[in-house]
Amino acid sequence: MKIKLIIFDFDGTLGDTRANIIMTMQETMRVLGYPVAGEEAIAATIGLTLEDGFRELFPGLTERDILRCAEVYRDLFEKNRRKMVPKLFPHVKETLNLLKERGYILSVASSRQSVSLRGFLHDMSVEDCISYILGADNVEKSKPDPEPVLKTLRELGIPAEESIVVGDMPVDIIMGLRAGAATCGVTYGNSSRDDLVEAGAGYIIDDISELPGLL
């Protein structure tokens, strides 16, 4: 591969936020009086926008209800974040530094809101490695639509064939493929190797430290 740009997902790929997301989702459901979904059902929505996640879990809700769910969730997540601070997955910081030293351009495309995303990258001390940060509020269509990748490519002036999308969920892989980019799934996040294979991932790794060896 002649790769210049690496587009990372955040939740489940760089940051281990699974416990925070599940806890806050369930707390939101309790506050609003909805049935509390199980861990696996909630984990399956990670990678979608917050609103789309609630649509998947509660198909009968009105758009007004969905927006209320998202509002309550964001308030609770910020409070929970202070109590249980998410961390980077093992070897993420070292790998990002190595890739940057080797001249790769690094970006993040997430279904998380950009303010939250930037806050995490700053708190985790990897913001300086990232050249371009794109959140759900920076696009009209989120994963698995290719818009986040296509916008990143336009902003950075790099063709799709010189980019690779790295993520833990099928929506990341599908997004990358639809944009014409190479794709790499990671198995340590929120979905299985089988799910990543089925989505069409070009490469699959068990530890992010394996990524430089693929490029």
Side-chain angles (χ1 to χ4, degrees):
M1 292 187 292
K2 294 182 179 179
I3 298 298
K4 292 183 179 178
L5 169 65
I6 306 171
I7 304 172
F8 291 98
D9 168 53
F10 179 74
D11 295 282
T13 302
L14 300 180
D16 186 1
T17 54
R18 178 185 173 109
N20 299 70
I21 291 170
I22 290 170
M23 179 178 69
T24 307
M25 276 280 204
Q26 291 178 332
E27 192 174 349
T28 300
M29 294 166 196
R30 292 189 191 96
V31 167
L32 294 176
Y34 298 141
V36 178
E39 180 176 336
E40 291 306 314
I42 295 171
T45 69
I46 296 175
L48 300 174
T49 63
L50 187 52
E51 291 79 5
D52 283 345
F54 279 110
R55 289 186 187 102
E56 287 284 326
L57 293 166
F58 300 107
L61 292 185
T62 66
E63 284 305 297
R64 183 177 180 180
D65 290 335
I66 293 292
L67 292 176
R68 177 60 177 156
C69 287
E71 179 184 15
V72 171
Y73 175 95
R74 290 188 178 107
D75 287 342
L76 291 172
F77 190 91
E78 192 58 34
K79 293 174 184 175
N80 290 336
R81 177 183 167 188
R82 299 189 193 106
K83 294 184 288 185
M84 187 168 64
V85 181
K87 297 180 180 180
L88 293 171
F89 282 103
H91 310 133
V92 165
K93 188 169 185 178
E94 303 94 315
T95 301
L96 294 181
N97 284 329
L98 176 62
L99 291 168
K100 184 178 180 182
E101 287 172 7
R102 290 185 178 178
Y104 293 101
I105 300 170
L106 311 181
S107 74
V108 173
S110 173
S111 295
R112 178 176 296 281
Q113 295 286 299
S114 57
V115 171
S116 173
L117 179 59
R118 288 180 181 277
F120 275 129
L121 293 169
H122 173 77
D123 293 347
M124 294 172 171
S125 301
V126 292
E127 188 178 25
D128 289 346
C129 293
I130 308 301
S131 297
Y132 184 71
I133 298 170
L134 182 146
D137 51 320
N138 301 131
V139 291
E140 293 183 7
K141 297 179 180 179
S142 295
K143 306 172 186 181
D145 192 274
E147 185 183 351
V149 174
L150 295 175
K151 182 172 182 179
T152 299
L153 296 175
R154 285 196 305 270
E155 292 291 329
L156 296 175
I158 295 174
E161 59 269 22
E162 294 180 357
S163 68
I164 185 169
V165 173
V166 181
D168 71 309
M169 297 294 284
V171 291
D172 299 308
I173 303 304
I174 296 167
M175 172 184 68
L177 292 173
R178 288 178 176 175
T183 57
C184 177
V186 302
T187 62
Y188 53 79
N190 296 298
S191 65
S192 68
R193 176 179 290 270
D194 287 345
D195 288 340
L196 295 167
V197 169
E198 185 177 349
Y203 303 88
I204 298 179
I205 57 178
D206 299 316
D207 191 295
I208 199 168
S209 62
E210 298 171 46
L211 182 60
L214 299 178
L215 305 175

